[in-house]
Structure formats: structure tokens, C-alpha cells
Amino acid sequence: MLDPKKRRQHVNGPIVHRDIRSETTRTLTKAPQSPHAEPLETGDSHLENALSPLDIRSETHQRYSTEHSGNQDAVKHKDTGLFREPFSVRRVRKSQDNKLTAMLQVRNERGRYLEEVLDDLSEFVDEIVIVDDASTDGTPDICRAYPKVVRLEVLEKPLFAEEWRLRNALWQAAAGTSPDWLLSVDADELYSAEAKKAIRALINQDHSDWIAFRFYDMWGGRTHYREDDLWGLHRRHTASLVRYMPGYPYFYPQQNHHVPRLPLPCTVLPGISTELKVQHLGWSGSLEDRVRKYLRYKRIDPHGEWGSLEHYESILDPEPRLIPWKEEQ
């Protein structure tokens, strides 16, 4: 078990950094800063640039206060703008026998990476929940073939144009299976062997509520990842694993695209940033595949309302800076 008194510790090999914020189970009074210089990623770099930790915490507080106006016992806070955890929230922190549930949103994944991802997840999670965004290529049939897929919801109409609704539908579906921890996975992400080995020790503890990893954008294959001024997700930590607490005020920002993978209120909870690695294979295909993704981004966000136009254009860079991939630490 992790020693909550130590800031740096080892879990099956890789160094783990405790994010020391507050040991109380009811009130968070410190800004959710990572022990590293880089900010915590919630799954989308554009959102990180738009909202500081204080912004996120204030928005959480305002949303919950609005929903519970008139109930003075539901929320107790000072006039500081800091989020105070409601006393009505049931905190469930188990140090053993935690159920790990992976959740994925998918659409037209046949012939890509879905089967490999589901094979990978089946090795180390207990259950898998999937929301299919109105696929037309038989993707749901692939999902049904996996015994650990305990819930598959197939939408009749796609929600891709309103991604926050799709994220929320997935969260609600996963929460309905009584999980202890939720792992938010895209259909093109593979966790390293070290990450899969360490994950049980990471969740079977009672002091931290999210776990962050290093995500690498594999480029043009699986031997190299991209690193330059616009492509550096691996230089920060991305939280993709969170303890589920019934009654906690989870919600997503109402954005059509580039929505974070975890609800915003998760960022004010205490967590752990690890050096464990995850491969993102979305850019590892052919040049033609990357061009198709570039054209899709330009079509759905032509003015850069939800993302960076410079970042979109960099997809077509003929000579990107590539670094050899090494799975071990």
C-alpha cells in the first residue's frame, strides 16, 4: 500500500508522486496544484489553457450552490470562492477489493484499434462500459464479443457534434454499474505493461481519488512519438482514472468538442501523478489517415472555436520531430 506520508514512492517500480493537497475528507482549502511544474491535464490541452485550477474550483462551487439553493445544510462554505465539499456527499474510500471499470465512447471503429484496446483492457480491468455513438460499421458487434463488456449502449443518433452530451451519457452509463474506480479510455489507447501491473496498488488505497499518467502521441507507427512545441502531451500528466463517489457533483463543461475525459469537479480532489505510460495510437496510422483526421477537424471547427488552428495545421507537418519510443521507465 502507498504510504500517504511520503511524497515520492515506488509502486512496482515506477516513481509515484503524491499530490499533497488536503488530508481532510470533507473540506478542500488548497488549490489543486500538481507537485510538478506542469499543470494537471484532464484529457484536453485546450481546456487546460482556458481554465485555471481556481476557475474550475469556482465553477464547481457555483454549479452545486445553484442546484442546492435554499438548502443551507447541503453546502457549507466561506466567501472565498473555494469549493467546499458538501457534507451530504458519501465518501467511499476502500483500501482493498476495489472494482475497476473501464469506460469508452466509440464510433465506427472497425478496422482500427478497438479490438486491440479491448483485448488489452480485458487483461487488467474488472468490467467495461461502452457507449456507441451511432456507428454504421458494426462496431457494437465487436464490443458484444467481449465478456467483460457488461453494458453497451448504442445511440440511434450521433452526439459527436455535442461531445459534452456524449461524455455525460458515458459517465451515467458507467456510474450505473456501481463502480469503485472508473478508467476513461479512448478506443486508440494502450496502457504499458508497467501501468497494468501497478494499477491495483494505485487504486487500493484510501487517500487519493484520481490517478494521472503520461500519454504519448505515437506518430506514423509505434516506434516513435511526436514532440515539439505543439505536441507535448507527454510532458504533462493526464488524469484518466478516478474514484467514483456516489452523490459527488460530477459534470462536464458544455463544449461541443475537446471535452475533458473526466468531469471537472474531479480536479479539486487529492490525486497521484505517476510516470506510467500510455500510448495514444490515433496518429500512428498512415499519412492518408492523418489527412482524413485533419480534414475532419477543419470541418467541425473551421474557425478554431474549440481548438487551435495552428495545432490543426501542424498535423500536416512533413517533417515532425519524432522521438524513439521506450516503454520502460
Side-chain angles (χ1 to χ4, degrees):
M1 181 183 298
L2 300 179
D3 182 354
K5 296 181 181 179
K6 293 183 179 180
R7 187 179 181 87
R8 296 170 65 89
Q9 43 201 312
H10 284 74
V11 179
N12 291 335
I15 294 177
V16 174
H17 307 272
R18 274 296 310 283
D19 189 355
I20 305 298
R21 298 177 184 173
S22 172
E23 294 301 323
T24 178
T25 60
R26 290 193 171 185
T27 304
L28 293 173
T29 58
K30 295 183 180 180
Q33 298 292 339
S34 167
H36 306 280
E38 296 290 348
L40 169 71
E41 285 280 332
T42 54
D44 190 270
S45 58
H46 306 298
L47 180 67
E48 294 300 320
N49 294 330
L51 291 175
S52 68
L54 182 57
D55 295 329
I56 294 173
R57 191 168 57 253
S58 298
E59 184 171 348
T60 304
H61 170 76
Q62 292 164 6
R63 173 67 64 89
Y64 197 84
S65 297
T66 300
E67 293 177 352
H68 293 77
S69 58
N71 184 356
Q72 297 300 320
D73 293 330
V75 179
K76 296 183 181 296
H77 62 88
K78 297 179 181 179
D79 294 330
T80 60
L82 298 180
F83 172 71
R84 290 297 184 112
E85 184 178 297
F87 283 84
S88 61
V89 171
R90 291 190 292 123
R91 300 301 295 268
V92 182
R93 284 192 172 113
K94 299 192 304 182
S95 59
Q96 60 183 1
D97 300 325
N98 280 285
K99 183 173 75 170
L100 175 58
T101 302
M103 58 179 188
L104 297 85
Q105 58 189 48
V106 299
R107 175 174 169 79
N108 292 339
E109 306 292 345
R110 184 176 291 277
R112 293 182 59 78
Y113 311 104
L114 179 59
E115 290 173 290
E116 186 176 2
V117 169
L118 290 176
D119 285 337
D120 187 61
L121 290 173
S122 296
E123 294 179 6
F124 69 98
V125 305
D126 299 306
E127 295 181 350
I128 302 173
V129 174
I130 299 175
V131 170
D132 179 90
D133 192 29
S135 290
T136 59
D137 66 347
T139 291
D141 294 332
I142 297 175
C143 301
R144 293 188 184 99
Y146 286 82
K148 287 196 174 182
V149 176
V150 298
R151 176 168 293 183
L152 170 63
E153 296 190 2
V154 181
L155 304 181
E156 294 183 359
K157 296 182 179 180
L159 289 177
F160 181 76
E162 296 179 288
E163 188 182 348
W164 70 276
R165 293 186 183 277
L166 183 58
R167 289 284 188 188
N168 187 65
L170 176 60
W171 182 267
Q172 296 300 327
T177 63
S178 301
D180 293 315
W181 284 80
L182 289 170
L183 179 67
S184 180
V185 185
D186 285 349
D188 55 8
E189 293 173 349
L190 296 176
Y191 280 72
S192 68
E194 281 189 308
K196 290 185 285 189
K197 183 179 179 180
I199 204 161
R200 289 293 166 178
L202 288 168
I203 67 174
N204 283 327
Q205 43 77 23
D206 57 7
H207 53 73
S208 298
D209 298 320
W210 54 256
I211 312 296
F213 302 86
R214 299 275 191 182
F215 283 70
Y216 290 76
D217 287 311
M218 310 307 294
W219 203 269
R222 303 193 186 189
T223 61
H224 292 76
Y225 61 90
R226 183 167 176 175
E227 179 181 89
D228 52 43
D229 291 341
L230 295 172
W231 296 82
L233 182 59
H234 57 280
R235 292 194 290 259
R236 298 184 290 273
H237 292 92
T238 299
S240 60
L241 178 59
V242 66
R243 189 192 307 272
Y244 178 70
M245 296 180 290
Y248 193 73
Y250 298 107
F251 67 89
Y252 286 93
Q254 296 186 16
Q255 299 176 193
N256 289 343
H257 303 290
H258 302 300
V259 179
R261 67 177 68 212
L262 296 179
L264 285 185
C266 296
T267 62
V268 302
L269 298 169
I272 300 173
S273 293
T274 78
E275 299 306 307
L276 299 166
K277 298 180 179 181
V278 182
Q279 284 185 310
H280 172 228
L281 304 178
W283 305 104
S284 66
S286 65
L287 174 60
E288 291 75 14
D289 186 44
R290 294 196 296 276
V291 169
R292 281 194 295 269
K293 294 186 70 172
Y294 163 79
L295 294 175
R296 185 183 68 183
Y297 280 127
K298 294 290 286 186
R299 183 179 69 254
I300 65 177
D301 190 20
H303 305 296
E305 180 180 0
W306 307 105
S308 164
L309 291 179
E310 184 181 12
H311 196 267
Y312 297 157
E313 294 299 329
S314 71
I315 295 172
L316 302 182
D317 188 341
E319 296 182 355
R321 182 172 183 264
L322 302 181
I323 308 297
W325 164 257
K326 295 181 180 180
E327 180 165 317
E328 67 275 7
Q329 301 297 325

